[in-house]
Amino acid sequence: VYDYVPIFMERSELEKSVFYQDKGRELVSPGKIYYKDPYIYINERYKGVHIIDNSNPEKPVNEGFIVVPGCIDMAVKGIILYVDNSIDLVAFDLNTKEVTERIKNVFPEPVPPHNLYYYINRPDGFILVGWKRTR
């Protein structure tokens, strides 16, 4: 049996939380994968999106990481990455590496790991962005 605790973020903090890092991260808890030639986008559950340059499939390059707290799903259309930032839908321009739009309160909160039921005593003004394993 695992124990998890919820991770919360203030609304104002959530709205500033999506940004690009030009240094790749190690894949720890990968989720969905999206391919748009020559890039592979891999979701890091509740953390963000890895950007892998697959121009040379024999030597893929972990090019960068888009920090997106509460991220579970994504899609790409043209140069825009659409991603869930917990309960918000965010449009992220892959060329300028900036958020171009945010639509608030589109999604339900992230579900607990293993679909377990948890009672959450939520502080006012805070949004659930993920779960941290304590043991």
Side-chain angles (χ1 to χ4, degrees), residues 7-71:
I7 300 169
F8 295 107
M9 189 176 274
E10 288 186 72
R11 163 55 78 184
S12 61
E13 190 180 343
L14 180 75
E15 293 181 16
K16 297 183 279 186
S17 67
V18 179
F19 61 94
Y20 177 77
Q21 295 178 325
D22 61 0
K23 180 180 172 201
R25 291 186 180 184
E26 178 183 353
L27 278 83
V28 177
S29 182
K32 296 188 177 184
I33 298 173
Y34 194 95
Y35 175 73
K36 183 160 175 35
D37 198 18
Y39 292 97
I40 300 171
Y41 301 93
I42 304 172
N43 168 253
E44 184 71 39
R45 293 170 39 82
Y46 305 115
K47 304 290 184 197
V49 179
H50 298 273
I51 301 175
I52 311 295
D53 184 345
N54 200 42
S55 298
N56 179 356
E58 294 178 14
K59 294 183 181 178
V61 177
N62 191 342
E63 187 175 279
F65 188 79
I66 303 169
V67 174
V68 188
C71 174

Side-chain angles (χ1 to χ4, degrees), residues 121-133:
N121 188 9
R122 174 192 325 283
D124 286 340
F126 283 75
I127 296 169
L128 178 70
V129 296
W131 299 89
K132 181 178 179 182
R133 185 172 161 184

